[in-house]
Amino acid sequence: MALIPQPALNPPLHRSEAPFRAAVAQAQTLLQRADVARLDDTIQTMLQMIGQAFPADRAYVFMLRDQIFVNNTHEWFADGVAPVQAENQKLNYSTGEFFWTAFKTQGFLHLTDTSALPLNSELRAIMTAQNVKSLIAVPFFHDADLAGFLGFDLCRQQRNFTLTETNALQGLAATLSLALKLRDTEQARLRLDADLRAANERVAAMIDSAPELLVETDRMGVIVAFHQSAPLTFALSPVEVIGHPPEACLPEAVAALCRKAMVQVNQRGWSDTFDYPLVIDGVTKRFSLHATARQNARTGARKGYIFVIRDITDSYLQAQHNRTLSRVAELSTNLIMLTDAERRITWINPAGVARTGFSLAHARGRRPSEILRLPDAAPDIVQTLCAQLRNGEDINEEVQALSKTDMPYWINLNVQKLQDADGVIQGLMLVASDVTAQKLAESRALRDRATAMDALREGIAIIQPDGRISYVNPVLRGALHLPDDMPTEALSWPEISPDLFNRQLVSLLPQLYEKGIWRGDITLPDPELGERHFDISLTLQADGGALFLSRDISDRKAAERNQALLREQLQLAQSRQLVAQLASGLAHDVANVLAVITHALNLLRPARSAKEASALSRIEAATTQAQALVGNLSRLGGRSTDAGQIDLRPLLEQAADLARPSLGTGTKLHLDLPQTPIEIHGDSTAVMQVFLNLILNARDALCRDADLPGRISLSLTKTRTGTSPPVAEIGQLRADRPYVLFEITDTGEGMDAARKSAMFDAYFSTKGANGIGLGLSIVAEILSAAAGAIRVSSQPGQGTTVQVYWPADPPTTPDAGHPAPESRDKPLSGRTILLVDDDDTVLQHLSHVLVRAGAEVASTTNPRDALAAFRAAPEDWDMVIIDHDMTPMTGLELARKFHQIDANLPIILATGAAALQSAPEYAQTDIAFRLRKPVCDNVLVAVILDILLRRAPFGHSAAYADATSDSG
């Protein structure tokens, strides 16, 4: 298209062009000094520098590629100005032609007002899209050919570019052209250097592949030329060698070999290959020498000799190494075979011949599996080994083989591929270590281990990954009731394991796989014992199997139950003591009231009328009955004993075991017991109370100094008092009497005299809310009843020692203050009590307790039967004791039905539910007393006596009698 004449603009503003020219000069300097490797960065800096000094809104470089101007990502634009749009990064042919024509005719393109462009022109559309108002572009060339142009856009306002500015930009474009040409030249040079290096490397490779030393001689053997290459470098220069015979420049032995080779060349045209050693720089190396005829290229006439000398040190050493290995293989005790690519034996060493029984001649050409007789010894392994070889895998397996004479043996078979330099398999090498002795030793060890495991008391099973059993010892066989003659191979864990444990095993598998081990207790039903307890351990093995260990802990569980029962008995005994004291005080107070009533009755006699006399008689009868009940209640505190000859050592050990878990982390409990029995005549329960109360009291004394380590020492000895026995705090020691001495010493805070004198008083405690002060008073009561004594030694800050003396000789007569159980009065004598509980065991126990206390007892597990018996004869029953948790009716429901028959019937409700006490339905029922299970025997008797005592003058029987008399 033709150039568009530019409209005249207003004259340019007067401004200094010095900053612009300075920026152009600086940019030219920058381009001239630019590193061609970083020319793109320099061009970007140049565009920013010129664009800011011009000032222009956008500066860019377009390169000519295949007759199209392309923006080569060199661009700068001012803040607020958009870059060249992507679709305008290439100028189409018509627009490019417009630029090209302007560059040829004017040397630049100058558009002062882009709006003057024809409306339909593509250039105007581009200028409008890019918001260009004025434009200047100057070309740059490469060897007189247009290479591109440098352009500047003004987007905010129009501008007329001066001639000075245009010339400056043209100079800058010329400098840019030189810089680009320099970069192209440098890149071409780098390519040529790379090509030269590659050519040199190819030449060097060709030279390196040539013989290390090539020597040419004439017919007389005079050297006429030679070529040498690393690593073999001739010691003499070419000037010193050429023109001389071999004897003049080579060692004598080498020169002699050269002459020998010449003779052979003269005879047949070539020589043998000779090798010889040569010491170079103190190192012995090995070389080979070969000669052939040197002929005239034109006539073919022989004109001399060519000698080729090579350094064969490495190959010579490798061959020597191979010979050594071959000798080692021949002398090795391992079985070694070599095969070809078809896996057929080519060689077998003497050890292999001796082990297999097949000679080399017999083995050659056959497969190794045939010589090892694997199909006969282990047929399954052959297919596996062949599959591994087909997959290109090496083999390292332990297999069983058979000798030619059918003798089994075990080998550790290692098979390796033999490959050439190109990785092509040339054959196989088999190395088999004879591990027969090791296998036999392992077998013996397994038998010994099985014998040892058979002798263990724990049950042991080894479980394979598939769940089958590989070993189970007799203990576990007995626990699982497995026949002794059942083979182990026929056992599977899911089949022999109890269903209960299998169900538990499903839930514990995640923990087992996470930690690798699981331990816990299980309880299994037993047809003879009811149930048995086991401590179980399951450990995962490396192969995915498991080791199962079980230990029967039924005896330990029974011992734990006995210990728990013992602790419960101790608590019941303490509560019995409390009840006894409360009952004694209550009896004393009620006895005083009854005495006043009796005295008043005596003053009212004689009666003035028959009606008064009848009333006084009834009052007297009720008072007499109440006095009898009070007497029984006052005797309730008497301690029943089951005395006999007992050894104190196991009791003290048991008490120490019970107390140990409650000791502090720094506290040590030391027990010093003699080897022979220490016996007394007494009650084991009472003795256990003494031991436990004193040990726990010593423990509490240490706990007050929890920051310091503590120690409690216990000992039992036999002793005898002298003629003047020491004074005791509790009881009195008799002269010249044998005693058993129990001594307990602690390192606690100790006591002053006031605390020491009050320590055995009831309800005296230094523990605040944590103690009730009955423990040591119970100890004092037991020792007093046993005619024993207690001595206490203590000082503040120095700990405490308590010495307990039990008479060692049995009593001749029962203690008057403590009659034998069979001579004791029965406090519930003449009372009839109805028991209702759906637990037959509880019924039997309560019946035994009440019958022993003198009551007549009837019991039933059916609430309806109890209701029917009471309805038939309500006057026959003094009291009913009901369990709350029953079916088909609860204890509260049954109590309401009893009270519908007799509203005054005293009912005791026994329950294990604490929430029942606050239940609304309980508040609406007239229950005489409620007891929490388990019920202490003495507490039960005391509660019954208390209820009967409070209701005696107004008993339900009298009310019933009045009711019947009124009706008749």
Side-chain angles (χ1 to χ4, degrees), residues 402-441:
L402 274 177
S403 69
K404 186 177 180 180
T405 59
D406 295 330
M407 179 67 68
Y409 61 96
W410 285 263
I411 56 174
N412 189 356
L413 181 62
N414 182 277
V415 182
Q416 300 287 333
K417 298 181 290 292
L418 300 178
Q419 300 172 321
D420 60 12
D422 297 327
V424 178
I425 297 177
Q426 301 297 314
L428 300 174
M429 180 176 69
L430 292 79
V431 179
S433 303
D434 192 338
V435 294
T436 304
Q438 178 182 345
K439 291 291 291 185
L440 294 176

Side-chain angles (χ1 to χ4, degrees), residues 714-842:
L714 310 175
S715 65
L716 276 176
T717 57
K718 293 181 179 180
T719 186
R720 191 178 187 89
T721 57
T723 56
S724 300
V727 178
E729 278 74 12
I730 298 297
Q732 183 177 1
L733 291 171
R734 301 179 183 180
D736 198 22
R737 289 283 301 275
Y739 286 91
V740 170
L741 174 61
F742 165 58
E743 184 172 281
I744 176 171
T745 302
D746 66 70
T747 58
E749 62 181 3
M751 298 180 291
D752 55 19
R755 183 181 294 180
K756 175 181 172 183
S757 62
M759 63 182 291
F760 293 104
D761 294 344
Y763 307 111
F764 174 77
S765 175
T766 61
K767 307 172 189 175
N770 295 325
I772 59 175
L774 286 177
L776 293 181
S777 66
I778 292 175
V779 171
E781 178 189 349
I782 292 173
L783 266 297
S784 298
I790 304 176
R791 297 186 69 237
V792 181
S793 174
S794 181
Q795 293 292 332
Q798 298 183 10
T800 301
T801 298
V802 177
Q803 294 177 320
V804 177
Y805 291 84
W806 265 294
D809 48 354
T812 55
T813 57
D815 192 339
H818 299 274
E822 54 271 19
S823 63
R824 184 186 303 276
D825 292 336
K826 300 183 180 299
L828 297 180
S829 178
R831 301 295 179 176
T832 56
I833 300 175
L834 178 60
L835 296 178
V836 187
D837 197 310
D838 59 357
D839 189 336
D840 190 58
T841 303
V842 174

Side-chain angles (χ1 to χ4, degrees), residues 35-45 72 74 180 183:
D35 182 1
V36 294
R38 301 180 57 85
L39 184 59
D40 290 337
D41 296 338
T42 305
I43 293 174
Q44 192 67 29
T45 304
N72 199 25
H74 296 302
L180 292 173
R183 183 177 65 176

Side-chain angles (χ1 to χ4, degrees), residues 132 168 170 177 209 250 261 302 314 355 440 482 583 608 616 624 671 679 724 829 903 909:
V132 178
Q170 287 177 323
S177 176
S209 64
L250 295 177
R302 183 177 301 169
D314 293 339
R355 177 74 273 186
L440 294 176
L482 300 176
R608 289 174 292 179
L616 290 176
T624 302
L671 193 60
E679 295 183 344
S724 300
S829 178
L909 188 65

Side-chain angles (χ1 to χ4, degrees), residues 672-935:
D672 183 13
L673 299 178
Q675 297 294 324
T676 57
I678 301 292
E679 295 183 344
I680 65 167
H681 186 83
D683 178 22
S684 59
T685 302
V687 171
M688 181 61 74
Q689 282 186 269
V690 172
F691 286 158
L692 277 178
N693 277 303
L694 290 177
I695 294 174
L696 295 179
N697 197 68
R699 176 204 65 185
D700 295 339
L702 294 176
C703 290
R704 301 187 188 107
D705 293 327
D707 295 336
L708 300 175
R711 180 182 176 90
I712 300 176
S713 300
L714 310 175
S715 65
L716 276 176
T717 57
K718 293 181 179 180
T719 186
R720 191 178 187 89
T721 57
T723 56
S724 300
V727 178
E729 278 74 12
I730 298 297
Q732 183 177 1
L733 291 171
R734 301 179 183 180
D736 198 22
R737 289 283 301 275
Y739 286 91
V740 170
L741 174 61
F742 165 58
E743 184 172 281
I744 176 171
T745 302
D746 66 70
T747 58
E749 62 181 3
M751 298 180 291
D752 55 19
R755 183 181 294 180
K756 175 181 172 183
S757 62
M759 63 182 291
F760 293 104
D761 294 344
Y763 307 111
F764 174 77
S765 175
T766 61
K767 307 172 189 175
N770 295 325
I772 59 175
L774 286 177
L776 293 181
S777 66
I778 292 175
V779 171
E781 178 189 349
I782 292 173
L783 266 297
S784 298
I790 304 176
R791 297 186 69 237
V792 181
S793 174
S794 181
Q795 293 292 332
Q798 298 183 10
T800 301
T801 298
V802 177
Q803 294 177 320
V804 177
Y805 291 84
W806 265 294
D809 48 354
T812 55
T813 57
D815 192 339
H818 299 274
E822 54 271 19
S823 63
R824 184 186 303 276
D825 292 336
K826 300 183 180 299
L828 297 180
S829 178
R831 301 295 179 176
T832 56
I833 300 175
L834 178 60
L835 296 178
V836 187
D837 197 310
D838 59 357
D839 189 336
D840 190 58
T841 303
V842 174
L843 282 180
Q844 292 181 14
H845 174 72
L846 294 181
S847 299
H848 176 73
V849 171
L850 297 179
V851 169
R852 190 173 58 187
E856 295 182 11
V857 180
S859 62
T860 178
T861 59
N862 192 322
R864 290 194 175 94
D865 292 346
L867 193 60
F870 184 78
R871 185 180 287 111
E875 70 279 3
D876 293 345
W877 306 100
D878 293 296
M879 181 174 293
V880 177
I881 301 176
I882 306 173
D883 175 45
H884 174 67
D885 302 312
M886 295 187 301
T887 56
M889 67 178 72
T890 66
L892 288 177
E893 294 171 345
L894 182 60
R896 293 191 187 100
K897 294 184 180 295
F898 277 127
H899 282 159
Q900 290 174 1
I901 301 172
D902 184 355
N904 293 324
L905 173 68
I907 298 176
I908 295 177
L909 188 65
T911 178
L916 181 64
Q917 301 177 7
S918 58
E921 59 268 23
Y922 175 80
Q924 300 171 4
T925 305
D926 185 15
I927 299 298
F929 206 86
R930 60 187 181 276
L931 287 175
R932 286 285 304 277
K933 291 183 177 180
V935 181

